[in-house]
Amino acid sequence: MRRVAAWVAVRPQFEDVGVCESDSSTRSLNGGTVNIAHVSDREVGRLLSDLPSAHGAHTMQDGRAWKRRLYDPAKRARRALRVVRHIRFVYFAHVDDDSLYGDYHHELVTAEVLMDRVLAARASGMKAVHPQVHGEVEERLFNRPPRGSFMQVTPEYIRWYGRDGVRRAEPMVREELAIELMGEYAYGYNDALDIATNNSGALTRVDQAWLLARAKTPIYCRPLHATEFHRLACAIEGAYHVPSNDASIVKANTEIARRAAAVLGTVMDEFVEAPFQTPALADVFAEFHRAHLLRVAHARLAGLQPMPVTGVLGWFSAKRARIYAEVQARLAAR
């Protein structure tokens, strides 16, 4: 694997680590519960703890004030309680909003806002990015089609309305719709599931639950669906290409953009192709994404030993989750 930047070398070696060094938490794995680590928490902290800046040295007076704030015990305690760090770029001063710099600043703001949401959602325990669920899928979930718009009983109609025509409180998930089709038309489960997948907008139980939880989440920590994820990637890429000859700003913002790409790779627990066209950003995303998925696989494996108190079924559920994590890691290592 190519070295994408000098600062990547400070990343702790993950290949020989069985579990992550950060604190453990309880997560649900296909109905079972095992203890695994927040495998990206420390990695994200390292990436965001010393972000570069284009600002020069302060005056002596400002330096003394900064030191007082740094060593103040109360402020230090509050600082320690902060779980969510932020990506912050360097802006140009005194520029016209209608200029090229104004468009560039728009990309910086977009990247900062969306990255804040990713990090806040991750800190709250939610899946921060869902790269398979797009914005139009969310719109269809929360916009029930009128009963009169269906000319006949279709899988999509059954998804929204019962046999007596009464609308469902929530649309059926794909697994429920398949079982309903089995009872209605005597399909086998595989055939029914295939019909539910290809002839309706039904979502899997996990995806629909994620979208419903996302809708109830405050906007500042709302996770990103695939459309917003690609918008974030475009904004980071825009931030990387600084429209200026100011060496200090170019150096700072290109480095911050690379850190943002690396962070994005460490908060995604399933394999995705690099969303960047710029080679430097794509490489650093792939590097950190691969490292994160390997840590997830190791943490899943560690969760199998000893056997959890939930019994044999819980053990097999954790094993299936670990195998899935290993597959994701191997996909990233291709």
Side-chain angles (χ1 to χ4, degrees), residues 1 13 20 36 66 71-72 107 123 129 144 159 205 212 224 236 251 289 295 305 309 312 323:
M1 182 70 68
Q13 297 299 316
C20 184
I36 64 173
W66 179 82
Y71 293 108
D72 181 85
E107 294 298 314
V129 180
R144 182 189 302 273
R159 177 195 177 202
R205 188 183 307 277
L212 293 174
L224 308 187
I236 293 174
K251 181 179 179 180
H289 190 43
R295 284 181 178 269
Q305 304 164 352
V309 294
V312 175
I323 293 174

Side-chain angles (χ1 to χ4, degrees), residues 121-148:
R122 183 74 174 183
S124 69
M126 296 188 66
K127 182 177 182 178
V129 180
H130 200 316
Q132 279 78 44
V133 174
H134 292 267
E136 58 269 19
V137 174
E138 182 182 43
E139 292 177 8
R140 289 198 299 267
L141 175 63
F142 293 104
N143 288 278
R144 182 189 302 273
R147 189 185 294 106

Side-chain angles (χ1 to χ4, degrees), residues 54-55 89-97 99-102 104-105 108 239 241-250 253:
H55 301 294
F89 291 95
V90 179
Y91 289 74
F92 297 98
H94 309 298
V95 298
D96 184 0
D97 289 339
S99 68
L100 181 63
Y101 296 109
Y104 180 68
H105 283 178
L108 298 186
H241 299 289
V242 187
S244 171
N245 293 324
D246 188 323
S248 59
I249 295 182
V250 171
N253 278 359

Side-chain angles (χ1 to χ4, degrees), residues 155 177 181 187 189-200:
L177 180 57
L181 293 174
Y187 290 126
Y189 181 74
N190 290 336
D191 292 336
L193 188 62
D194 183 67
I195 292 173
T197 301
N198 298 311
N199 295 277
S200 77

Side-chain angles (χ1 to χ4, degrees), residues 124-187:
S124 69
M126 296 188 66
K127 182 177 182 178
V129 180
H130 200 316
Q132 279 78 44
V133 174
H134 292 267
E136 58 269 19
V137 174
E138 182 182 43
E139 292 177 8
R140 289 198 299 267
L141 175 63
F142 293 104
N143 288 278
R144 182 189 302 273
R147 189 185 294 106
S149 64
F150 295 96
M151 303 305 296
Q152 57 184 343
V153 177
T154 63
E156 184 67 7
Y157 175 87
I158 297 174
R159 177 195 177 202
W160 289 100
Y161 299 96
R163 298 183 183 183
D164 52 2
V166 177
R167 64 181 185 180
R168 306 183 190 279
E170 292 180 359
M172 277 187 164
V173 299
R174 190 175 297 169
E175 297 86 347
E176 293 173 340
L177 180 57
I179 293 174
E180 186 75 10
L181 293 174
M182 290 172 63
E184 188 74 20
Y185 301 105
Y187 290 126

Side-chain angles (χ1 to χ4, degrees), residues 45-329:
R46 288 176 182 271
L47 289 168
L48 302 185
S49 61
D50 59 343
L51 286 175
S53 171
H55 301 294
H58 299 289
T59 64
M60 183 62 67
Q61 182 177 357
D62 290 340
R64 288 195 298 268
W66 179 82
K67 288 182 179 179
R68 285 197 300 270
R69 291 195 298 271
L70 177 64
Y71 293 108
D72 181 85
K75 293 183 182 295
R76 195 162 61 238
R78 287 195 297 270
R79 198 159 46 239
L81 291 175
R82 294 185 192 134
V83 178
V84 181
R85 298 180 184 271
H86 302 284
I87 291 285
R88 291 295 180 264
F89 291 95
V90 179
Y91 289 74
F92 297 98
H94 309 298
V95 298
D96 184 0
D97 289 339
D98 295 329
S99 68
L100 181 63
Y101 296 109
D103 294 336
Y104 180 68
H105 283 178
H106 178 72
E107 294 298 314
L108 298 186
V109 171
T110 301
E112 290 179 357
V113 170
L114 293 181
M115 280 300 302
D116 281 356
R117 283 174 52 186
V118 168
L119 295 173
R122 183 74 174 183
S124 69
M126 296 188 66
K127 182 177 182 178
V129 180
H130 200 316
Q132 279 78 44
V133 174
H134 292 267
E136 58 269 19
V137 174
E138 182 182 43
E139 292 177 8
R140 289 198 299 267
L141 175 63
F142 293 104
N143 288 278
R144 182 189 302 273
R147 189 185 294 106
S149 64
F150 295 96
M151 303 305 296
Q152 57 184 343
V153 177
T154 63
E156 184 67 7
Y157 175 87
I158 297 174
R159 177 195 177 202
W160 289 100
Y161 299 96
R163 298 183 183 183
D164 52 2
V166 177
R167 64 181 185 180
R168 306 183 190 279
E170 292 180 359
M172 277 187 164
V173 299
R174 190 175 297 169
E175 297 86 347
E176 293 173 340
L177 180 57
I179 293 174
E180 186 75 10
L181 293 174
M182 290 172 63
E184 188 74 20
Y185 301 105
Y187 290 126
Y189 181 74
N190 290 336
D191 292 336
L193 188 62
D194 183 67
I195 292 173
T197 301
N198 298 311
N199 295 277
S200 77
L203 302 170
T204 65
R205 188 183 307 277
V206 173
D207 289 348
Q208 183 160 310
W210 183 85
L211 282 174
L212 293 174
R214 166 189 149 89
K216 299 175 183 177
T217 305
I219 187 64
Y220 63 86
C221 61
R222 184 170 297 171
L224 308 187
H225 53 55
T227 305
E228 293 171 329
F229 167 60
H230 289 291
R231 180 67 190 93
L232 171 58
C234 289
I236 293 174
E237 206 148 26
Y240 183 83
H241 299 289
V242 187
S244 171
N245 293 324
D246 188 323
S248 59
I249 295 182
V250 171
K251 181 179 179 180
N253 278 359
T254 54
E255 181 70 4
I256 294 170
R258 286 162 59 181
R259 300 278 185 106
V263 169
L264 204 54
T266 62
V267 299
M268 306 188 69
D269 297 335
E270 58 191 47
F271 172 71
V272 294
E273 296 286 350
F276 302 102
Q277 299 299 320
T278 304
L281 297 179
D283 287 347
V284 76
F285 175 90
E287 177 83 5
F288 277 81
H289 190 43
R290 172 179 175 270
H292 172 65
L293 292 179
L294 283 174
R295 284 181 178 269
V296 170
H298 292 157
R300 302 286 191 192
L301 178 60
L304 297 177
Q305 304 164 352
M307 184 175 292
V309 294
T310 50
V312 175
L313 290 179
W315 188 87
F316 276 109
S317 177
K319 183 175 181 179
R320 182 171 59 179
R322 188 261 298 174
I323 293 174
Y324 174 80
E326 287 183 343
V327 170
Q328 299 299 307

